[in-house]
Amino acid sequence: NNGHNGTDLITVVDMTKAKNIAVHKIDKSIWHLQDSDRILKRGPNVKVSEAEALRYVASSTHVPVPEVFGAYEKDGFGNIFMSRVIGTPLHNVLYTLDEAQVERVTIQLSGFVRSWMGLCGDYFGSMGFKACRDIFFQHLPAANMPDREYGPFRTRTEYCSGLVDALQNSRPGGRFDANDAQLIERIRRLGDGCAVFCHGDLTPDNILVDDQL
C-alpha cells in the first residue's frame, strides 16, 4: 500500500491553487499545494522508489527529510505527496554565507552523508530492488543506441560493468575514445565492495537550509 488506497489523489487536489516551484528544473515536477501547504512531486521520471527511500531514511536515520503521505504511479506518471520542508536552496545562499556558516553547513551535511552511508544493502539499485536511478545512468542514448534501464545489480563488479555499458550506450555507434578508455580503467579498478545507501543527486540545488545558521 503506497498510501492512496486506490484513489487517484491528483483528482482530489485543486491544482488551480498549486504553484510550480521547480520551473528552472528540466522536468518541472515539484508543486506547492498552497491550500494544504504540502508538496506534490509529479512527472514521468518520478518513481515510487523515491518515496520508499524517503521513508527508509526517515525511519533509519535522523536526517530531516519530508514525510511521505502517499505515492503511486499511474498512466506513465509518478506522484509523491509529501510534507513541505521550509528552507532556501543552498545554491541560492551559498555565496552569501560567512566562513563560520559554511563550516556549520559542511559539518551537518557530512553527518547526514555518514548517517545514510551506514545503511547497507545486498544489491546496487533503487529501493525495492529496482533499476539504478542515479545520475550516471540517467543519460540520453546516442543516435541509434537503445533507451534502456540498468540494474539492479547483485555485486559491485556487476554495477561497474553496468556503468561501462551506460557509457557505451551514450557514445555514437557505441565507440569509446581515449578519454573513455581511461575512465573505464578507473571504473574497473574500483573492485568489489558492499552496497551502501547513497543520494542519487546531492547538489546545492537539492539541499535546503533554514535561517538557523
Side-chain angles (χ1 to χ4, degrees), residues 16 104 146:
T16 64
R104 284 197 287 274

Side-chain angles (χ1 to χ4, degrees), residues 67-184:
E67 179 184 357
V68 175
F69 302 116
Y72 61 98
E73 296 173 27
K74 183 178 180 181
D75 299 330
F77 276 74
N79 300 273
I80 303 175
F81 292 83
M82 64 188 100
S83 63
R84 179 181 172 221
V85 176
I86 305 299
T88 304
L90 180 59
H91 177 271
N92 294 358
V93 300
L94 183 59
Y95 298 105
T96 69
L97 303 179
D98 60 35
E99 190 174 335
Q101 289 174 316
V102 170
E103 179 73 10
R104 284 197 287 274
V105 169
T106 302
I107 291 172
Q108 194 170 41
L109 281 176
S110 296
F112 292 160
V113 172
R114 284 195 301 270
S115 178
W116 67 56
M117 287 189 70
L119 306 175
C120 296
D122 58 359
Y123 66 92
F124 294 77
S126 299
M127 293 291 294
F129 200 63
K130 301 288 177 56
C132 295
R133 302 290 301 171
D134 56 86
I135 196 68
F136 303 113
F137 298 103
Q138 298 300 300
H139 62 75
L140 291 173
N144 301 318
M145 299 298 284
D147 187 6
R148 51 172 290 200
E149 291 188 326
Y150 301 88
F153 304 102
R154 279 296 183 187
T155 68
R156 192 157 77 176
T157 300
E158 291 179 7
Y159 172 81
C160 290
S161 294
L163 289 175
V164 175
D165 287 345
L167 180 64
Q168 184 172 30
N169 201 35
S170 69
R171 298 296 186 256
R175 290 185 296 272
F176 295 126
D177 60 22
N179 289 332
D180 292 334
Q182 291 180 4
L183 178 57
I184 291 169

Side-chain angles (χ1 to χ4, degrees), residues 194-210:
C194 65
V196 298
F197 191 92
C198 294
H199 193 296
D201 194 18
L202 190 63
T203 64
D205 204 34
N206 289 330
I207 299 168
L208 296 179
V209 295
D210 59 23

Side-chain angles (χ1 to χ4, degrees), residues 9-21:
L9 294 178
I10 199 70
T11 64
V12 297
V13 171
D14 186 356
M15 292 302 289
T16 64
K17 296 180 181 178
K19 178 182 179 182
N20 190 319
I21 57 174

